[in-house]
Amino acid sequence: MKEISLNILDIAENSVKAKATLVEITVTETAYTLTLTVKDDGTGMTKDVLLSVTNPFYTTRTTRKVGMGIPLLQFAAEQTGGNIKIESKHFSEYPDEHGTTVTALFYKNHIDFTPLGDVISSVTTLIQGHPETDFLYKHSFSDKTVMLDTREIRAVLEGVPLDTFEVLIWIRDNLREQYDENQ
Amino acid sequence: MKSLAELQAIKDRMKSKVALREGYGEIRVVVGMATCGIAAGARPVLNTLVEEVNNAGLYEKVSVSQTGCIGFCQLEPIVEVIEAGKEKVTYVKMTPEKAKEVVEKHLKGGKVVTEYTVAGAN
């Protein structure tokens, strides 16, 4: 993947496939690090599945939960000296608090660090493809925060679908303006 | 600032429009958005399709959606056009520029852009 935002798009798809109702995407930057967290309230994974998701040769062709997505994220993080961590609670064991959290740590000054890239495009693409799922996007950097919560947008829209073109444009422009203000 | 008041205005406009959405999605445009598609550049292709379909005023006739791996990872980004009563058209190795052309010639004009299809690429 050329940009971390593409990994975000890819990893968040796993959350949607795991029937998440809310996917929380958090990007937190310090001077030297970028930490990405994708947290969902989906079905979660059993311990056996969890142990094998970083193996690119592990296949879930029948359920298609994971494939190259996690290994590519792991590669992108590790090539900067960082790492990834996956925590998951399967609904069979944790009926009230199931879900998966993927955390990736990147070192920004490493020569192999891939830039965050067009993260606005990834957020709008996720909403366009999954208008029924809620997304919380939060990007913190140098004391500033850019945030978007589709639950708030949904409340205003009163039944108008989130993948309506005008709504997607509003979301895109809202994020653009937040980034411009924080420049 | 893109305020919530502006979003409210969009809602009011759309609420009155929703009832008119008959024949919605006569043509389905599907973009492969699995890991292979995303890595090959499907994101800008999808966004161009969404934008151009709307700009061409085709949003009531054409729906643009996302799907998983279509099975020809080496030919990604892949875009499928599915229309009732017609054979499915599979466009391969797509770019935003090609996507624009497909909206103009195929979705609007009704003519398949053969050179971008899986058959044309061989």
Side-chain angles (χ1 to χ4, degrees), chain A:
Chain A
M1 299 281 179
K2 284 177 195 152
E3 307 174 346
I4 294 173
S5 66
L6 291 173
N7 293 107
I8 293 175
L9 178 58
D10 191 29
I11 297 301
E13 289 287 342
N14 294 341
S15 299
V16 175
K17 285 199 197 87
K19 301 188 184 75
T21 58
L22 175 66
V23 184
E24 298 171 54
I25 300 164
T26 314
V27 180
T28 308
E29 292 190 60
T30 65
Y32 303 105
T33 64
L34 183 151
T35 307
L36 163 70
T37 308
V38 179
K39 179 177 183 241
D40 70 57
D41 58 358
T43 55
M45 291 179 276
T46 59
K47 288 196 179 70
D48 288 349
V49 173
L50 186 56
L51 284 171
S52 44
V53 288
T54 55
N55 177 0
F57 301 107
Y58 168 75
T59 170
T60 56
R61 276 273 161 186
T62 50
T63 58
R64 300 222 64 136
K65 246 184 239 152
V66 279
M68 284 302 285
I70 291 288
L72 284 172
L73 178 69
Q74 184 179 27
F75 178 71
E78 286 182 355
Q79 71 178 359
T80 71
N83 56 65
I84 69 163
K85 195 172 75 188
I86 308 169
E87 291 160 296
S88 196
K89 289 179 173 172
H90 194 247
F91 70 95
S92 61
E93 251 184 284
Y94 302 90
D96 300 322
E97 42 157 4
H98 50 84
T100 300
T101 304
V102 178
T103 308
L105 168 71
F106 299 83
Y107 285 96
K108 298 199 295 189
N109 292 339
H110 195 286
I111 191 155
D112 290 323
F113 174 72
T114 46
L116 183 59
D118 189 358
V119 71
I120 296 176
S121 193
S122 284
V123 173
T124 55
T125 301
L126 282 168
I127 296 169
Q128 195 271 340
H130 313 288
E132 309 290 333
T133 309
D134 277 312
F135 295 93
L136 173 65
Y137 170 68
K138 194 174 164 190
H139 183 187
S140 311
F141 49 101
S142 48
D143 301 334
K144 287 159 188 159
T145 302
V146 168
M147 213 172 117
L148 187 103
D149 188 342
T150 59
R151 290 171 299 185
E152 287 172 9
I153 296 169
R154 201 180 295 281
V156 174
L157 287 176
E158 292 175 7
V160 171
L162 265 82
D163 59 350
T164 306
F165 185 71
E166 282 83 348
V167 175
L168 292 171
I169 294 296
W170 183 91
I171 291 169
R172 185 196 69 191
D173 292 348
N174 177 282
L175 284 169
R176 277 186 186 166
E177 284 174 18
Q178 287 191 56
Y179 275 107
D180 287 347
E181 274 176 17
N182 281 319
Q183 279 303 313

Side-chain angles (χ1 to χ4, degrees), chain A residues 121-122 125 158 165 177, chain B residues 1-2 15 43 47 54 66:
Chain A
S121 193
S122 284
T125 301
E158 292 175 7
F165 185 71
E177 284 174 18
Chain B
M1 185 67 195
K2 288 281 154 190
K15 279 257 161 159
R43 187 183 64 185
N47 288 327
N54 190 77
Q66 305 177 21

